[in-house]
Amino acid sequence: MGSTNSTLLKIPNVEVLMRETGFSPAHIIRLHDRFKALDKEGRGYLCPQDFGAIKELAMNPIGDRIIGAFFSPGKETVDFHTFVKILAHFRPVDKDRPKEPNSPEPINSRSNKLKFAFQLYDQDKDGKISRDELLKVLRAMLGMQVTEEQLESIADRTIQEADLDRDDAISFEEFRKSLEKVNIDHKMSIRFLR
Amino acid sequence: MGPFMSPFNNLLCMLLGISFTVWFTLLLVFIIVPAIFGLSFGIRNLYMKTLLKVFEWATVRMERGAKEKNHLLYKPYSLNGIIAKEPTSLEEELKGIRRNGSSRDLNGSASTTTGPSPSSSEFEMSDTFYFCRRGIESIVDDEVTKCFSAEELESWNLLTRSNYNFHHISTRLTVLWGLGVVIRYGFLLPLRLTLAITGVSLLVVFTTMIGFLPNGSMKNFLSEKVHLMCYRICVRALTAIITYHHSENKPKNGGICVANHTSPIDVIILASDGCYAMVGQIHGGLMGLIQKSMVKACPHIWFERSEVKDRHLVAKRLSDHVKDKSKLPILIFPEGTCINNTSVMMFKKGSFEIGSTVYPVAIKYDPRFGEAFWNSSKFGMVNYLLRMMSSWAIVCSVWYLPPMSRQEGEDAVQFANRVKAAIARQGGLVDLLWDGGLKRGKVKETFKEEQQKLYSKILVGTQEDRSRS
């Protein structure tokens, strides 16, 4: 590691990565450092235990789900590219990006941020948050501090208000609609320095 | 072959003999004798100043080299942080969500959206956003992982091991670096090894001899002198350049000396300036031999491995020792593990429960000359000592802080935190609440429960209000 150029050269397909995610070269290098710091055995990829070793994450009530978001179904490892792409969801929205009709939606768009949050709830990836899945999230966030009945009543109320087509589950569209007024950009973004 | 080789043989033998004699005389005069009397020629300070000048020159050359090639010099991430973390708490965040973006308009009822009224705190799907963001922030940058890896330097100190940032080395610098390697491994390392072996063997031999004397003031006096002498030789074996501040606050008999822990060398650094009773587990091998002979000369507190788990036994032995005013002050490192000297982690409360005066000591190493932190997950003890002995020097400052005692109405944990804050302040270290045990152990479930309790208070606390109204 030395000058920015020599480090960037060591990362394969870094141009594509920067274009897709919108991270600057300096960000990529710092994320690469972080990736290497987490990858203690230097294998070139991360597995769930490497994330589990981050103490602050282990204390987070939904820490496991966040870790799960990095691993596509069936995969046990995450490489640097995927790592960066997932973190790109949390870049602040680019307000001055021109709206090109043919280019793919940027990873950090409002919609994609919502999709990321949606998958934290929807663990079986069937496109809907069932009552059961909602209960599981509530249990994770509240632990043993509330009774089963209280959880059920919270879940019931939430579904009642968000579920517009009365199928007792919350689809992505219903999820999006219920969060219309929330400032997603502010809540689901991290300020990257420099 | 015979007559042809013998003059050379003789010459060779003579040369070797002379060089060894010269070598040992120099060693004796310049290093061992001053160590015995606690004097110094000032050679080490001169050495340190020269090295600093060389390092500055090297860094300037590298920056110039990089500029010429129009590349950006990379600054290590741990110094600046990748992200700006929002300092908002869970409560503030959730109230913010409800105030600004609540999807429940609640039929236009007036009071709910103007001020933070608890009765409208019901579960929102966006509550997960807070935890999600915090989680991602900790993936990108967290405090604890940083404490357990060596501090990164702004400039290069001609050691390859700290050259993870600088790649633009011109020929002149490479030559300088090569010279550095020759000096360090060819000259300094053998010198230091000799000294270390001398120091340790003298310690073992003399303390065993003193052990045969009857207990009394003569024994204590001699034991003090011997310990000091051997530790001073060891200090020179590491080329440790130590500055002691506020020696008037040095720990006295019947007290407990408490210091932050960065490496096993901390013991040598403190013990070369005063006599302490060490506390620790008995090891096997060479370490065990040293421990056993040390305890013959003066009462140190060594525990068997099985006894270490028994907290009451440990506390009892410590308090018995402390009550006897003729015994030396105990030296304890309450963090329980080696931290990388940029911060101070949670102090274990055991030593603060005993009730005697606590003498805090802050130790701060200067990483420019050699990284003293022992990353025990990366390096074993032998590897570590080798790295220590092939660095340029170990430079550190020791501050003796004024003694502290537990105040009325203060419990052991609060007292420990007070002492920790004083040490952190003096040494310029960050005061962290985290437990050093996190280096190896898993996070206790209680931490997660804290978060859950906080969140549930915001939600469920309001349920009770609603049921009441």
Side-chain angles (χ1 to χ4, degrees):
Chain A
M1 283 193 273
S3 65
T4 50
N5 291 12
S6 66
T7 317
L8 281 178
L9 287 173
K10 291 199 191 115
I11 306 169
N13 298 330
V14 72
E15 301 284 323
V16 177
L17 193 61
M18 286 198 287
R19 209 172 352 110
E20 282 179 3
T21 58
F23 280 124
S24 70
H27 290 155
I28 299 272
I29 293 179
R30 289 195 180 189
L31 288 174
H32 191 68
D33 276 352
R34 179 63 176 170
F35 185 82
K36 288 214 298 221
L38 292 175
D39 178 19
K40 294 196 176 77
E41 292 166 40
R43 292 168 299 190
Y45 56 82
L46 295 176
C47 56
Q49 289 89 318
D50 294 322
F51 285 97
I54 303 171
K55 314 297 177 183
E56 286 173 27
L57 192 58
M59 293 200 313
N60 194 310
I62 52 170
D64 306 330
R65 289 163 184 261
I66 299 174
I67 297 176
F70 280 83
F71 296 88
S72 350
K75 282 199 83 181
E76 290 278 306
T77 61
V78 58
D79 62 3
F80 182 60
H81 272 246
T82 323
F83 181 70
V84 175
K85 283 212 205 119
I86 307 263
L87 289 178
H89 282 95
F90 288 83
R91 273 190 61 237
V93 172
D94 301 311
K95 296 198 175 59
D96 39 338
R97 204 188 180 104
K99 289 228 167 51
E100 295 149 36
N102 293 330
S103 70
E105 205 178 348
I107 299 183
N108 61 337
S109 70
R110 196 172 184 279
S111 178
N112 280 330
K113 285 182 201 276
L114 277 173
K115 280 197 190 132
F116 187 87
F118 188 76
Q119 71 169 311
L120 291 179
Y121 284 95
D122 181 22
Q123 293 282 291
D124 63 3
K125 304 202 193 304
D126 63 352
K128 290 180 184 300
I129 304 175
S130 67
R131 192 165 179 283
D132 210 41
E133 284 172 334
L134 188 57
L135 276 174
K136 284 210 183 77
V137 175
L138 286 170
R139 179 57 81 192
M141 293 208 287
L142 294 165
M144 290 295 130
Q145 308 301 321
V146 294
T147 64
E148 192 67 34
E149 291 85 32
Q150 282 169 321
L151 277 187
E152 304 240 347
S153 76
I154 296 176
D156 284 333
R157 205 181 321 121
T158 314
I159 292 186
Q160 206 176 32
E161 291 181 0
D163 186 15
L164 302 167
D165 60 4
R166 302 284 153 222
D167 63 349
D168 207 34
I170 304 176
S171 70
F172 180 64
E173 279 308 314
E174 289 162 353
F175 183 70
R176 189 212 290 266
K177 207 154 190 318
S178 77
L179 294 172
E180 250 171 357
K181 296 208 175 65
V182 177
N183 184 351
I184 306 281
D185 184 31
H186 188 236
K187 302 289 167 213
M188 290 281 277
S189 292
I190 300 179
R191 260 197 312 141
F192 284 89
L193 295 175
R194 198 153 69 93
Chain B
M1 188 184 107
F4 189 67
M5 291 300 286
S6 58
F8 278 115
N9 271 349
N10 279 343
L11 199 60
L12 204 60
C13 286
M14 247 181 10
L15 278 174
L16 278 174
I18 293 178
S19 51
F20 268 126
T21 322
V22 168
W23 174 253
F24 276 118
T25 320
L26 281 175
L27 209 71
L28 204 68
V29 170
F30 280 105
I31 299 179
I32 297 189
V33 169
I36 297 177
F37 293 106
L39 302 167
S40 171
F41 278 115
I43 301 177
R44 279 176 290 157
N45 279 321
L46 185 64
Y47 170 65
M48 184 172 87
K49 290 197 183 73
T50 324
L51 276 180
L52 271 177
K53 289 214 179 68
V54 172
F55 294 161
E56 271 174 39
W57 180 83
T59 317
V60 165
R61 295 282 320 171
M62 265 190 284
E63 286 177 350
R64 212 183 301 164
K67 247 185 229 155
E68 276 165 23
K69 299 194 189 156
N70 228 348
H71 289 158
L72 273 175
L73 261 193
Y74 176 64
K75 295 286 180 203
Y77 88 88
S78 64
L79 284 180
N80 302 327
I82 312 180
I83 52 180
K85 288 199 181 167
E86 301 283 326
T88 47
S89 70
L90 176 59
E91 282 187 63
E92 290 165 13
E93 185 96 359
L94 295 184
K95 284 190 186 140
I97 292 181
R98 280 129 180 80
R99 241 202 311 270
N100 303 326
S102 174
S103 59
R104 304 159 204 280
D105 270 334
L106 289 173
N107 304 323
S109 38
S111 55
T112 46
T113 43
T114 46
S117 60
S119 60
S120 67
S121 280
E122 305 195 343
F123 171 71
E124 301 263 352
M125 305 262 265
S126 48
D127 286 351
T128 47
F129 289 5
Y130 173 78
F131 292 110
C132 181
R133 199 180 75 236
R134 276 282 190 262
I136 298 282
E137 275 177 359
S138 63
I139 290 179
V140 176
D141 192 6
D142 81 309
E143 281 180 331
V144 178
T145 315
K146 279 197 280 201
C147 283
F148 293 126
S149 59
E151 194 183 348
E152 293 177 3
L153 298 173
E154 290 246 21
S155 66
W156 188 38
N157 59 358
L158 294 180
L159 294 173
T160 337
R161 64 189 77 135
S162 35
N163 185 24
Y164 26 59
N165 288 319
F166 293 86
H167 207 60
H168 286 277
I169 310 179
S170 60
T171 332
R172 232 184 273 192
L173 270 182
T174 321
V175 167
L176 195 65
W177 173 78
L179 193 65
V181 169
V182 167
I183 295 178
R184 283 185 296 120
Y185 284 91
F187 172 66
L188 289 177
L189 185 60
L191 171 67
R192 288 172 181 163
L193 274 176
T194 324
L195 282 173
I197 297 174
T198 317
V200 170
S201 20
L202 281 180
L203 182 66
V204 172
V205 166
F206 281 141
T207 46
T208 319
M209 278 170 36
I210 292 178
F212 290 122
L213 291 174
N215 284 349
S217 56
M218 187 57 169
K219 184 178 186 184
N220 290 340
F221 175 72
L222 278 178
S223 147
E224 236 188 75
K225 292 293 167 224
V226 162
H227 273 110
L228 279 175
M229 175 185 93
C230 296
Y231 280 118
R232 286 199 194 115
I233 297 180
C234 287
V235 158
R236 281 160 172 79
L238 294 164
T239 317
I241 304 169
I242 313 170
T243 322
Y244 296 100
H245 302 268
H246 305 302
S247 293
E248 67 271 11
N249 291 326
K250 248 196 259 195
K252 303 191 175 47
N253 283 5
I256 299 183
C257 175
V258 155
N260 59 318
H261 200 31
T262 306
S263 91
I265 296 177
D266 292 343
V267 173
I268 301 178
I269 288 179
L270 288 180
S272 61
D273 192 45
C275 286
Y276 300 94
M278 316 272 172
V279 178
Q281 212 182 347
I282 292 198
H283 293 98
L286 179 62
M287 200 61 218
L289 179 64
I290 300 174
Q291 285 176 318
K292 287 198 189 79
S293 53
M294 274 169 69
V295 83
K296 289 194 184 108
C298 81
H300 297 287
I301 307 177
W302 305 124
F303 291 102
E304 300 287 338
R305 184 160 292 172
S306 50
E307 290 174 335
V308 171
K309 297 262 171 14
D310 186 350
R311 287 187 54 204
H312 290 292
L313 181 66
V314 169
K316 180 152 195 328
R317 274 185 75 177
L318 287 177
S319 49
D320 284 346
H321 182 107
V322 153
K323 289 203 184 73
D324 186 350
K325 294 291 178 207
S326 70
K327 294 205 177 135
L328 299 166
I330 305 180
L331 179 58
I332 289 188
F333 297 101
E335 281 164 313
T337 187
C338 294
I339 314 290
N340 77 347
N341 208 234
T342 56
S343 36
V344 184
M345 290 193 135
M346 191 178 96
F347 276 6
K348 299 204 189 323
K349 63 181 168 132
S351 19
F352 298 92
E353 287 173 326
I354 298 175
S356 64
T357 330
V358 167
Y359 295 87
V361 175
I363 307 176
K364 176 83 179 121
Y365 289 88
D366 188 342
R368 288 176 298 178
F369 295 91
E371 179 56 53
F373 166 57
W374 182 28
N375 192 342
S376 49
S377 48
K378 244 177 150 187
F379 309 112
M381 178 61 110
V382 178
N383 201 336
Y384 169 71
L385 284 176
L386 221 65
R387 283 165 69 93
M388 282 300 100
M389 292 200 195
S390 59
S391 321
W392 292 110
I394 309 286
V395 177
C396 63
S397 297
V398 174
W399 286 274
Y400 292 106
L401 297 170
M404 294 170 133
S405 331
R406 184 140 63 116
Q407 284 165 351
E408 291 280 331
E410 206 181 26
D411 70 353
V413 175
Q414 289 166 329
F415 181 36
N417 284 335
R418 195 159 57 91
V419 173
K420 176 160 74 86
I423 292 182
R425 211 178 317 129
Q426 181 65 77
L429 306 166
V430 176
D431 188 358
L432 292 182
L433 290 172
W434 297 93
D435 186 347
L438 289 176
K439 189 185 199 174
R440 296 221 171 68
K442 290 177 72 78
V443 174
K444 292 199 209 113
E445 277 300 306
T446 43
F447 285 111
K448 207 194 266 198
E449 276 173 27
E450 291 280 321
Q451 299 259 326
Q452 290 167 334
K453 272 193 204 146
L454 201 62
Y455 182 51
S456 66
K457 239 197 311 179
I458 297 174
L459 288 194
V460 175
T462 66
Q463 301 266 21
E464 289 169 352
D465 294 335
R466 288 172 79 247
S467 62
R468 248 183 272 136
S469 64

